[in-house]
Amino acid sequence: GGELLAGRVDLVILMTGVGTRFLMEILTRRFAKEEILRALAKLTTVARGPKPVQALKELGMMPTLTVPEPNTWFEILETLDLSRKSVPLEGSTVAIQEYGEANENLVEGLQKRGAKVMRVPVYRWALPEDLAPLETALGEIISGKVQIVFVTSAAQIRSVLKVASEKGIEAELRRALGRVVVASVGPMATQALQAAGIPVDFEPSHPKMGHLVAETASRARELISQKQSPPSIVFPGQSDFPSSASARRDSVFLKACRREPVPYTPIWLMRQAGRYMEEYRKIRARVSFAELCRTRELAAEVAITACRKINADAAILFSDILLLVEPLGFSLEYEQKEGPVIKGSLSRREDVDRLMEIEPEESLAFVFEALKLTRAGLDPGIPLLGFSGAPFTLASYVIEGGTSRAFIKTKQFMFHDKGAWDALLEKITRGLVKYLNAQIRAGADAIQIFDSWAGCLAPDDYRDFVLPHTRRLLGGLEPGVPVIYFGTGTGAFLELTAQAGGDVIGVDWRISLDQAWKKIGPQRAIQGNLDPAVLLGPREEILRRARAILEEAGGRPGHIFNLGHGVLPSTPVENVKALVDFVHEFSARR
């Protein structure tokens, strides 16, 4: 209170309505109410949502800034970034009315932006003195008397698991939560559940208790029915499946990565788990794309189902290259029509300096859990690929705010300030090295790097602005694990992409396989390169095009058959299966 009245606070973030009222109650015990209101009127007030707004209204005030839904720390930082001209954070003192548990992500984000943070812990979450009602509720969940569980805060699930652990019933509770519908109030509670390895079955349209109860009630029968349906994939326990690295080492896929002779050409397809499969569509009808990526059981199920259904020679982790943008400091949403939407300011060196260092084992633990579970459910001899976006492609996404055609913002940033550009890609590359090495430790047998947008560059620009960072990424990965480096539209400078250091170079359909292999050299394996649109055509044309690619490869060791991009959503699954069978049969006869 003294700091506030002395004018040594520049900005106050009010996290809750209850906390705002309680804070005023405490302050008015020491200072005159009018004096407090005058001090608040002189500084910037940020209301995290409608409840602190209402609490301020009761005091006759309106907040300077209001944070939009879903009212998480992402939106707080984004709101401040968008208002940085009128509300600069550099050198300012920010007081946070904390509640429940301290939000370290918010504190770190403010500090990265040059603010001095003052914590004001008005109240903290704590377990009740009488645990009997909670223990009774846990017992009813375990015994099967409960069909739906509501989780209304991140602290709540951590407290419940703590009590269950102390009572020796955590394993039983986790199994039971896998049988009931788990409904989460919003993104932060969902993140805590997923970090704890508990799948989330439902999240309301707005992160409010009323919406949670009403929307879950309206879909209760459907949600319960879906939860009670037997899973299509059975995952063995960690102790139930043998170590099978040696079996996979001799797989046709990994031998081809090493350019060793194989009895037939291996094949897998980018986006082999996707909307062209009925099994995938059924799961997506229940959950959003983001939920699917974050729910390890579902991510593992779609990856394994796809690999088995088309008889592919490798599976790939089901995830998304853009998940890293959130720990970097941006918000990420998947719009049904617009695709990914990334929010956050990135146009100058100061913006780069404020970005957070990516610590994936903390922020993306669900990815590694999904990878482990996928590995457990796969045939022991089937290799599993991990993946990420390349530094250039990720940088382009965050600068453009999503997908782009001309990448004007990216090129302006790149050409205007090479120092800022290099600093951005260096930060992204450091995070990617950690991320991919963690995937390898979690069980990835190979890694694919997607440089989806590199083809927008001139060869000299790729050499000067991109190649050094890609080379640093590939050089930082754990040795002994094959790396596939894939870009689209890069036929004009494939020899440069080969210099990045990948074991296998993936190529699209805009260049013939034979010509591409000459460009990258015989010391590299090659992956590709059927046009995905061919799979929409008649069966005879699909097989004719596939035969032509195999004949260009000429049976040379080191060819992995794939598409030149991902499977298109409207592709008939029968055509995909026919392609895989043909590649196996035709290449085996050569």
mmCIF file of all heavy atoms in Angstrom, residues 1-46:
data_model
loop_
_atom_site.group_PDB
_atom_site.id
_atom_site.type_symbol
_atom_site.label_atom_id
_atom_site.label_comp_id
_atom_site.label_asym_id
_atom_site.label_seq_id
_atom_site.Cartn_x
_atom_site.Cartn_y
_atom_site.Cartn_z
ATOM 1 N N GLY A 1 0.812 -1.195 0.000
ATOM 2 C CA GLY A 1 0.000 0.000 0.000
ATOM 3 C C GLY A 1 0.852 1.253 0.000
ATOM 4 O O GLY A 1 0.558 2.216 -0.705
ATOM 5 N N GLY A 2 1.912 1.241 0.783
ATOM 6 C CA GLY A 2 2.789 2.396 0.848
ATOM 7 C C GLY A 2 3.450 2.674 -0.486
ATOM 8 O O GLY A 2 3.587 3.838 -0.895
ATOM 9 N N GLU A 3 3.878 1.613 -1.204
ATOM 10 C CA GLU A 3 4.487 1.772 -2.519
ATOM 11 C C GLU A 3 3.490 2.386 -3.497
ATOM 12 O O GLU A 3 3.847 3.236 -4.324
ATOM 13 C CB GLU A 3 4.957 0.406 -3.045
ATOM 14 C CG GLU A 3 6.035 -0.261 -2.206
ATOM 15 C CD GLU A 3 7.363 0.459 -2.329
ATOM 16 O OE1 GLU A 3 7.789 0.719 -3.468
ATOM 17 O OE2 GLU A 3 7.957 0.767 -1.290
ATOM 18 N N LEU A 4 2.242 1.940 -3.424
ATOM 19 C CA LEU A 4 1.199 2.457 -4.310
ATOM 20 C C LEU A 4 0.961 3.941 -4.072
ATOM 21 O O LEU A 4 0.963 4.742 -5.007
ATOM 22 C CB LEU A 4 -0.097 1.666 -4.084
ATOM 23 C CG LEU A 4 -1.338 2.160 -4.832
ATOM 24 C CD1 LEU A 4 -1.165 1.959 -6.331
ATOM 25 C CD2 LEU A 4 -2.578 1.419 -4.340
ATOM 26 N N LEU A 5 0.780 4.305 -2.821
ATOM 27 C CA LEU A 5 0.487 5.698 -2.505
ATOM 28 C C LEU A 5 1.683 6.612 -2.738
ATOM 29 O O LEU A 5 1.511 7.815 -2.998
ATOM 30 C CB LEU A 5 0.019 5.829 -1.052
ATOM 31 C CG LEU A 5 -1.514 5.736 -0.865
ATOM 32 C CD1 LEU A 5 -2.049 4.397 -1.330
ATOM 33 C CD2 LEU A 5 -1.903 5.971 0.587
ATOM 34 N N ALA A 6 2.882 6.066 -2.670
ATOM 35 C CA ALA A 6 4.077 6.865 -2.912
ATOM 36 C C ALA A 6 4.361 7.036 -4.404
ATOM 37 O O ALA A 6 5.316 7.713 -4.776
ATOM 38 C CB ALA A 6 5.280 6.213 -2.235
ATOM 39 N N GLY A 7 3.548 6.419 -5.250
ATOM 40 C CA GLY A 7 3.718 6.563 -6.695
ATOM 41 C C GLY A 7 4.819 5.717 -7.268
ATOM 42 O O GLY A 7 5.314 6.002 -8.365
ATOM 43 N N ARG A 8 5.220 4.663 -6.550
ATOM 44 C CA ARG A 8 6.307 3.821 -7.025
ATOM 45 C C ARG A 8 5.809 2.569 -7.767
ATOM 46 O O ARG A 8 6.563 1.649 -8.038
ATOM 47 C CB ARG A 8 7.208 3.426 -5.854
ATOM 48 C CG ARG A 8 8.020 4.599 -5.311
ATOM 49 C CD ARG A 8 9.103 4.124 -4.364
ATOM 50 N NE ARG A 8 8.564 3.739 -3.076
ATOM 51 C CZ ARG A 8 8.435 4.570 -2.036
ATOM 52 N NH1 ARG A 8 8.812 5.838 -2.158
ATOM 53 N NH2 ARG A 8 7.951 4.158 -0.891
ATOM 54 N N VAL A 9 4.515 2.518 -8.080
ATOM 55 C CA VAL A 9 3.934 1.445 -8.881
ATOM 56 C C VAL A 9 3.360 2.061 -10.152
ATOM 57 O O VAL A 9 2.638 3.065 -10.095
ATOM 58 C CB VAL A 9 2.824 0.699 -8.105
ATOM 59 C CG1 VAL A 9 2.173 -0.366 -8.997
ATOM 60 C CG2 VAL A 9 3.388 0.057 -6.852
ATOM 61 N N ASP A 10 3.698 1.495 -11.304
ATOM 62 C CA ASP A 10 3.241 2.037 -12.585
ATOM 63 C C ASP A 10 2.025 1.310 -13.133
ATOM 64 O O ASP A 10 1.236 1.888 -13.883
ATOM 65 C CB ASP A 10 4.375 1.948 -13.611
ATOM 66 C CG ASP A 10 5.618 2.684 -13.154
ATOM 67 O OD1 ASP A 10 5.556 3.910 -13.007
ATOM 68 O OD2 ASP A 10 6.641 2.000 -12.930
ATOM 69 N N LEU A 11 1.890 0.029 -12.789
ATOM 70 C CA LEU A 11 0.825 -0.782 -13.376
ATOM 71 C C LEU A 11 0.398 -1.853 -12.374
ATOM 72 O O LEU A 11 1.251 -2.443 -11.703
ATOM 73 C CB LEU A 11 1.331 -1.424 -14.669
ATOM 74 C CG LEU A 11 0.360 -2.209 -15.542
ATOM 75 C CD1 LEU A 11 0.746 -2.070 -17.025
ATOM 76 C CD2 LEU A 11 0.351 -3.697 -15.183
ATOM 77 N N VAL A 12 -0.902 -2.076 -12.276
ATOM 78 C CA VAL A 12 -1.439 -3.116 -11.399
ATOM 79 C C VAL A 12 -2.242 -4.099 -12.237
ATOM 80 O O VAL A 12 -3.090 -3.685 -13.039
ATOM 81 C CB VAL A 12 -2.338 -2.522 -10.296
ATOM 82 C CG1 VAL A 12 -3.032 -3.634 -9.514
ATOM 83 C CG2 VAL A 12 -1.531 -1.660 -9.348
ATOM 84 N N ILE A 13 -1.964 -5.385 -12.084
ATOM 85 C CA ILE A 13 -2.734 -6.436 -12.756
ATOM 86 C C ILE A 13 -3.649 -7.073 -11.724
ATOM 87 O O ILE A 13 -3.176 -7.650 -10.734
ATOM 88 C CB ILE A 13 -1.813 -7.489 -13.388
ATOM 89 C CG1 ILE A 13 -0.889 -6.836 -14.416
ATOM 90 C CG2 ILE A 13 -2.641 -8.589 -14.047
ATOM 91 C CD1 ILE A 13 0.134 -7.790 -15.019
ATOM 92 N N LEU A 14 -4.954 -6.952 -11.929
ATOM 93 C CA LEU A 14 -5.960 -7.506 -11.012
ATOM 94 C C LEU A 14 -6.449 -8.818 -11.601
ATOM 95 O O LEU A 14 -7.076 -8.848 -12.659
ATOM 96 C CB LEU A 14 -7.102 -6.514 -10.832
ATOM 97 C CG LEU A 14 -6.665 -5.141 -10.275
ATOM 98 C CD1 LEU A 14 -7.803 -4.145 -10.344
ATOM 99 C CD2 LEU A 14 -6.155 -5.280 -8.848
ATOM 100 N N MET A 15 -6.154 -9.905 -10.915
ATOM 101 C CA MET A 15 -6.399 -11.239 -11.466
ATOM 102 C C MET A 15 -7.816 -11.750 -11.203
ATOM 103 O O MET A 15 -8.361 -12.495 -12.004
ATOM 104 C CB MET A 15 -5.383 -12.234 -10.898
ATOM 105 C CG MET A 15 -3.931 -11.862 -11.191
ATOM 106 S SD MET A 15 -3.499 -12.018 -12.930
ATOM 107 C CE MET A 15 -3.291 -13.790 -13.069
ATOM 108 N N THR A 16 -8.415 -11.376 -10.048
ATOM 109 C CA THR A 16 -9.740 -11.898 -9.690
ATOM 110 C C THR A 16 -10.580 -10.818 -9.041
ATOM 111 O O THR A 16 -10.063 -9.853 -8.458
ATOM 112 C CB THR A 16 -9.631 -13.078 -8.704
ATOM 113 O OG1 THR A 16 -9.066 -12.602 -7.471
ATOM 114 C CG2 THR A 16 -8.779 -14.193 -9.261
ATOM 115 N N GLY A 17 -11.907 -11.003 -9.115
ATOM 116 C CA GLY A 17 -12.812 -10.074 -8.443
ATOM 117 C C GLY A 17 -12.714 -10.177 -6.935
ATOM 118 O O GLY A 17 -12.639 -9.158 -6.225
ATOM 119 N N VAL A 18 -12.691 -11.408 -6.417
ATOM 120 C CA VAL A 18 -12.586 -11.612 -4.961
ATOM 121 C C VAL A 18 -11.290 -11.010 -4.443
ATOM 122 O O VAL A 18 -11.262 -10.329 -3.411
ATOM 123 C CB VAL A 18 -12.659 -13.116 -4.629
ATOM 124 C CG1 VAL A 18 -12.330 -13.356 -3.157
ATOM 125 C CG2 VAL A 18 -14.028 -13.662 -4.957
ATOM 126 N N GLY A 19 -10.203 -11.250 -5.185
ATOM 127 C CA GLY A 19 -8.908 -10.723 -4.759
ATOM 128 C C GLY A 19 -8.875 -9.208 -4.782
ATOM 129 O O GLY A 19 -8.279 -8.576 -3.890
ATOM 130 N N THR A 20 -9.512 -8.598 -5.780
ATOM 131 C CA THR A 20 -9.553 -7.138 -5.862
ATOM 132 C C THR A 20 -10.293 -6.554 -4.657
ATOM 133 O O THR A 20 -9.842 -5.587 -4.022
ATOM 134 C CB THR A 20 -10.240 -6.699 -7.173
ATOM 135 O OG1 THR A 20 -9.518 -7.234 -8.276
ATOM 136 C CG2 THR A 20 -10.289 -5.182 -7.289
ATOM 137 N N ARG A 21 -11.439 -7.151 -4.330
ATOM 138 C CA ARG A 21 -12.217 -6.653 -3.178
ATOM 139 C C ARG A 21 -11.451 -6.842 -1.876
ATOM 140 O O ARG A 21 -11.436 -5.962 -1.004
ATOM 141 C CB ARG A 21 -13.567 -7.376 -3.121
ATOM 142 C CG ARG A 21 -14.483 -7.076 -4.301
ATOM 143 C CD ARG A 21 -15.843 -7.742 -4.142
ATOM 144 N NE ARG A 21 -16.657 -7.538 -5.324
ATOM 145 C CZ ARG A 21 -16.730 -8.387 -6.352
ATOM 146 N NH1 ARG A 21 -16.013 -9.524 -6.324
ATOM 147 N NH2 ARG A 21 -17.494 -8.122 -7.390
ATOM 148 N N PHE A 22 -10.819 -8.007 -1.729
ATOM 149 C CA PHE A 22 -10.098 -8.286 -0.497
ATOM 150 C C PHE A 22 -8.887 -7.366 -0.359
ATOM 151 O O PHE A 22 -8.559 -6.900 0.735
ATOM 152 C CB PHE A 22 -9.673 -9.752 -0.485
ATOM 153 C CG PHE A 22 -9.141 -10.227 0.836
ATOM 154 C CD1 PHE A 22 -9.840 -9.984 2.013
ATOM 155 C CD2 PHE A 22 -7.939 -10.920 0.914
ATOM 156 C CE1 PHE A 22 -9.354 -10.429 3.238
ATOM 157 C CE2 PHE A 22 -7.445 -11.360 2.127
ATOM 158 C CZ PHE A 22 -8.153 -11.112 3.303
ATOM 159 N N LEU A 23 -8.232 -7.080 -1.493
ATOM 160 C CA LEU A 23 -7.096 -6.170 -1.473
ATOM 161 C C LEU A 23 -7.525 -4.780 -1.017
ATOM 162 O O LEU A 23 -6.848 -4.140 -0.187
ATOM 163 C CB LEU A 23 -6.473 -6.103 -2.873
ATOM 164 C CG LEU A 23 -5.264 -5.182 -3.056
ATOM 165 C CD1 LEU A 23 -4.112 -5.605 -2.154
ATOM 166 C CD2 LEU A 23 -4.819 -5.178 -4.513
ATOM 167 N N MET A 24 -8.659 -4.310 -1.539
ATOM 168 C CA MET A 24 -9.168 -3.002 -1.113
ATOM 169 C C MET A 24 -9.523 -3.006 0.363
ATOM 170 O O MET A 24 -9.281 -2.027 1.094
ATOM 171 C CB MET A 24 -10.386 -2.629 -1.943
ATOM 172 C CG MET A 24 -10.057 -2.140 -3.339
ATOM 173 S SD MET A 24 -9.017 -0.654 -3.340
ATOM 174 C CE MET A 24 -10.091 0.511 -2.481
ATOM 175 N N GLU A 25 -10.095 -4.104 0.835
ATOM 176 C CA GLU A 25 -10.460 -4.200 2.250
ATOM 177 C C GLU A 25 -9.220 -4.084 3.135
ATOM 178 O O GLU A 25 -9.227 -3.385 4.159
ATOM 179 C CB GLU A 25 -11.178 -5.530 2.503
ATOM 180 C CG GLU A 25 -11.633 -5.712 3.937
ATOM 181 C CD GLU A 25 -12.283 -7.057 4.156
ATOM 182 O OE1 GLU A 25 -12.849 -7.621 3.190
ATOM 183 O OE2 GLU A 25 -12.216 -7.559 5.302
ATOM 184 N N ILE A 26 -8.146 -4.734 2.733
ATOM 185 C CA ILE A 26 -6.907 -4.680 3.519
ATOM 186 C C ILE A 26 -6.316 -3.270 3.490
ATOM 187 O O ILE A 26 -5.890 -2.727 4.513
ATOM 188 C CB ILE A 26 -5.889 -5.707 2.962
ATOM 189 C CG1 ILE A 26 -6.399 -7.131 3.176
ATOM 190 C CG2 ILE A 26 -4.524 -5.527 3.625
ATOM 191 C CD1 ILE A 26 -5.573 -8.183 2.470
ATOM 192 N N LEU A 27 -6.306 -2.670 2.285
ATOM 193 C CA LEU A 27 -5.716 -1.334 2.156
ATOM 194 C C LEU A 27 -6.488 -0.286 2.938
ATOM 195 O O LEU A 27 -5.891 0.620 3.534
ATOM 196 C CB LEU A 27 -5.645 -0.939 0.676
ATOM 197 C CG LEU A 27 -4.645 -1.709 -0.192
ATOM 198 C CD1 LEU A 27 -4.791 -1.322 -1.660
ATOM 199 C CD2 LEU A 27 -3.216 -1.456 0.274
ATOM 200 N N THR A 28 -7.813 -0.388 2.935
ATOM 201 C CA THR A 28 -8.611 0.618 3.646
ATOM 202 C C THR A 28 -8.504 0.502 5.161
ATOM 203 O O THR A 28 -8.979 1.379 5.881
ATOM 204 C CB THR A 28 -10.091 0.523 3.226
ATOM 205 O OG1 THR A 28 -10.554 -0.821 3.369
ATOM 206 C CG2 THR A 28 -10.281 0.978 1.787
ATOM 207 N N ARG A 29 -7.907 -0.564 5.654
ATOM 208 C CA ARG A 29 -7.643 -0.644 7.097
ATOM 209 C C ARG A 29 -6.488 0.264 7.493
ATOM 210 O O ARG A 29 -6.369 0.642 8.660
ATOM 211 C CB ARG A 29 -7.311 -2.088 7.489
ATOM 212 C CG ARG A 29 -8.469 -3.057 7.356
ATOM 213 C CD ARG A 29 -8.005 -4.485 7.633
ATOM 214 N NE ARG A 29 -9.030 -5.463 7.312
ATOM 215 C CZ ARG A 29 -8.829 -6.789 7.294
ATOM 216 N NH1 ARG A 29 -7.613 -7.257 7.576
ATOM 217 N NH2 ARG A 29 -9.814 -7.606 7.002
ATOM 218 N N ARG A 30 -5.635 0.603 6.500
ATOM 219 C CA ARG A 30 -4.446 1.415 6.796
ATOM 220 C C ARG A 30 -4.504 2.813 6.194
ATOM 221 O O ARG A 30 -3.884 3.736 6.698
ATOM 222 C CB ARG A 30 -3.194 0.707 6.273
ATOM 223 C CG ARG A 30 -2.902 -0.629 6.944
ATOM 224 C CD ARG A 30 -1.594 -1.190 6.418
ATOM 225 N NE ARG A 30 -0.489 -0.255 6.557
ATOM 226 C CZ ARG A 30 0.659 -0.333 5.898
ATOM 227 N NH1 ARG A 30 0.835 -1.318 5.038
ATOM 228 N NH2 ARG A 30 1.610 0.556 6.070
ATOM 229 N N PHE A 31 -5.247 2.934 5.068
ATOM 230 C CA PHE A 31 -5.266 4.213 4.373
ATOM 231 C C PHE A 31 -6.703 4.603 4.061
ATOM 232 O O PHE A 31 -7.608 3.750 3.998
ATOM 233 C CB PHE A 31 -4.465 4.127 3.058
ATOM 234 C CG PHE A 31 -3.084 3.584 3.205
ATOM 235 C CD1 PHE A 31 -2.801 2.258 2.902
ATOM 236 C CD2 PHE A 31 -2.052 4.390 3.678
ATOM 237 C CE1 PHE A 31 -1.526 1.741 3.047
ATOM 238 C CE2 PHE A 31 -0.758 3.887 3.822
ATOM 239 C CZ PHE A 31 -0.498 2.557 3.513
ATOM 240 N N ALA A 32 -6.904 5.895 3.823
ATOM 241 C CA ALA A 32 -8.235 6.390 3.456
ATOM 242 C C ALA A 32 -8.597 5.884 2.071
ATOM 243 O O ALA A 32 -7.757 5.862 1.160
ATOM 244 C CB ALA A 32 -8.253 7.914 3.486
ATOM 245 N N LYS A 33 -9.872 5.496 1.888
ATOM 246 C CA LYS A 33 -10.317 4.939 0.612
ATOM 247 C C LYS A 33 -10.095 5.931 -0.521
ATOM 248 O O LYS A 33 -9.663 5.546 -1.618
ATOM 249 C CB LYS A 33 -11.796 4.565 0.709
ATOM 250 C CG LYS A 33 -12.353 3.927 -0.549
ATOM 251 C CD LYS A 33 -13.802 3.510 -0.356
ATOM 252 C CE LYS A 33 -14.356 2.876 -1.626
ATOM 253 N NZ LYS A 33 -15.789 2.474 -1.461
ATOM 254 N N GLU A 34 -10.405 7.231 -0.283
ATOM 255 C CA GLU A 34 -10.241 8.242 -1.327
ATOM 256 C C GLU A 34 -8.783 8.347 -1.769
ATOM 257 O O GLU A 34 -8.476 8.519 -2.956
ATOM 258 C CB GLU A 34 -10.732 9.606 -0.833
ATOM 259 C CG GLU A 34 -12.231 9.679 -0.574
ATOM 260 C CD GLU A 34 -12.638 8.940 0.696
ATOM 261 O OE1 GLU A 34 -11.755 8.643 1.537
ATOM 262 O OE2 GLU A 34 -13.840 8.634 0.842
ATOM 263 N N GLU A 35 -7.882 8.202 -0.806
ATOM 264 C CA GLU A 35 -6.458 8.285 -1.104
ATOM 265 C C GLU A 35 -6.026 7.113 -1.996
ATOM 266 O O GLU A 35 -5.253 7.277 -2.941
ATOM 267 C CB GLU A 35 -5.673 8.278 0.220
ATOM 268 C CG GLU A 35 -4.231 8.677 0.089
ATOM 269 C CD GLU A 35 -3.527 8.697 1.438
ATOM 270 O OE1 GLU A 35 -4.154 8.343 2.463
ATOM 271 O OE2 GLU A 35 -2.335 9.052 1.459
ATOM 272 N N ILE A 36 -6.564 5.928 -1.723
ATOM 273 C CA ILE A 36 -6.238 4.738 -2.512
ATOM 274 C C ILE A 36 -6.765 4.883 -3.939
ATOM 275 O O ILE A 36 -6.071 4.592 -4.916
ATOM 276 C CB ILE A 36 -6.822 3.474 -1.852
ATOM 277 C CG1 ILE A 36 -6.221 3.271 -0.463
ATOM 278 C CG2 ILE A 36 -6.586 2.242 -2.731
ATOM 279 C CD1 ILE A 36 -6.977 2.281 0.380
ATOM 280 N N LEU A 37 -8.016 5.374 -4.061
ATOM 281 C CA LEU A 37 -8.614 5.511 -5.384
ATOM 282 C C LEU A 37 -7.867 6.545 -6.227
ATOM 283 O O LEU A 37 -7.705 6.370 -7.436
ATOM 284 C CB LEU A 37 -10.088 5.882 -5.251
ATOM 285 C CG LEU A 37 -10.990 4.802 -4.637
ATOM 286 C CD1 LEU A 37 -12.422 5.303 -4.510
ATOM 287 C CD2 LEU A 37 -10.954 3.523 -5.466
ATOM 288 N N ARG A 38 -7.411 7.640 -5.586
ATOM 289 C CA ARG A 38 -6.640 8.642 -6.330
ATOM 290 C C ARG A 38 -5.337 8.039 -6.861
ATOM 291 O O ARG A 38 -4.926 8.298 -7.987
ATOM 292 C CB ARG A 38 -6.342 9.852 -5.430
ATOM 293 C CG ARG A 38 -7.500 10.831 -5.303
ATOM 294 C CD ARG A 38 -7.009 12.172 -4.758
ATOM 295 N NE ARG A 38 -6.425 12.042 -3.429
ATOM 296 C CZ ARG A 38 -7.108 12.116 -2.284
ATOM 297 N NH1 ARG A 38 -8.430 12.322 -2.336
ATOM 298 N NH2 ARG A 38 -6.511 12.004 -1.123
ATOM 299 N N ALA A 39 -4.689 7.217 -6.034
ATOM 300 C CA ALA A 39 -3.439 6.576 -6.456
ATOM 301 C C ALA A 39 -3.681 5.606 -7.614
ATOM 302 O O ALA A 39 -2.915 5.560 -8.581
ATOM 303 C CB ALA A 39 -2.797 5.854 -5.281
ATOM 304 N N LEU A 40 -4.770 4.836 -7.534
ATOM 305 C CA LEU A 40 -5.089 3.884 -8.603
ATOM 306 C C LEU A 40 -5.419 4.605 -9.904
ATOM 307 O O LEU A 40 -5.109 4.120 -10.993
ATOM 308 C CB LEU A 40 -6.266 2.995 -8.183
ATOM 309 C CG LEU A 40 -5.976 1.901 -7.153
ATOM 310 C CD1 LEU A 40 -7.265 1.225 -6.716
ATOM 311 C CD2 LEU A 40 -5.021 0.853 -7.739
ATOM 312 N N ALA A 41 -6.060 5.747 -9.793
ATOM 313 C CA ALA A 41 -6.454 6.501 -10.989
ATOM 314 C C ALA A 41 -5.246 7.018 -11.763
ATOM 315 O O ALA A 41 -5.342 7.303 -12.961
ATOM 316 C CB ALA A 41 -7.365 7.655 -10.593
ATOM 317 N N LYS A 42 -4.110 7.155 -11.093
ATOM 318 C CA LYS A 42 -2.912 7.706 -11.732
ATOM 319 C C LYS A 42 -2.101 6.648 -12.487
ATOM 320 O O LYS A 42 -1.175 6.984 -13.222
ATOM 321 C CB LYS A 42 -2.019 8.367 -10.684
ATOM 322 C CG LYS A 42 -2.631 9.617 -10.061
ATOM 323 C CD LYS A 42 -1.709 10.175 -8.994
ATOM 324 C CE LYS A 42 -2.319 11.386 -8.310
ATOM 325 N NZ LYS A 42 -1.440 11.893 -7.212
ATOM 326 N N LEU A 43 -2.396 5.382 -12.253
ATOM 327 C CA LEU A 43 -1.591 4.333 -12.897
ATOM 328 C C LEU A 43 -2.441 3.486 -13.835
ATOM 329 O O LEU A 43 -3.653 3.663 -13.939
ATOM 330 C CB LEU A 43 -0.876 3.480 -11.849
ATOM 331 C CG LEU A 43 -1.684 2.905 -10.679
ATOM 332 C CD1 LEU A 43 -2.462 1.684 -11.103
ATOM 333 C CD2 LEU A 43 -0.745 2.548 -9.538
ATOM 334 N N THR A 44 -1.798 2.563 -14.509
ATOM 335 C CA THR A 44 -2.489 1.660 -15.430
ATOM 336 C C THR A 44 -3.034 0.470 -14.661
ATOM 337 O O THR A 44 -2.301 -0.185 -13.910
ATOM 338 C CB THR A 44 -1.517 1.156 -16.521
ATOM 339 O OG1 THR A 44 -1.015 2.284 -17.242
ATOM 340 C CG2 THR A 44 -2.209 0.211 -17.482
ATOM 341 N N THR A 45 -4.330 0.191 -14.822
ATOM 342 C CA THR A 45 -4.934 -0.984 -14.196
ATOM 343 C C THR A 45 -5.335 -1.973 -15.287
ATOM 344 O O THR A 45 -5.938 -1.592 -16.295
ATOM 345 C CB THR A 45 -6.173 -0.606 -13.362
ATOM 346 O OG1 THR A 45 -7.051 0.190 -14.160
ATOM 347 C CG2 THR A 45 -5.777 0.170 -12.118
ATOM 348 N N VAL A 46 -4.974 -3.219 -15.081
ATOM 349 C CA VAL A 46 -5.277 -4.283 -16.040
ATOM 350 C C VAL A 46 -6.178 -5.295 -15.356
ATOM 351 O O VAL A 46 -5.792 -5.887 -14.335
ATOM 352 C CB VAL A 46 -3.993 -4.977 -16.542
ATOM 353 C CG1 VAL A 46 -4.334 -6.085 -17.531
ATOM 354 C CG2 VAL A 46 -3.060 -3.964 -17.181
#
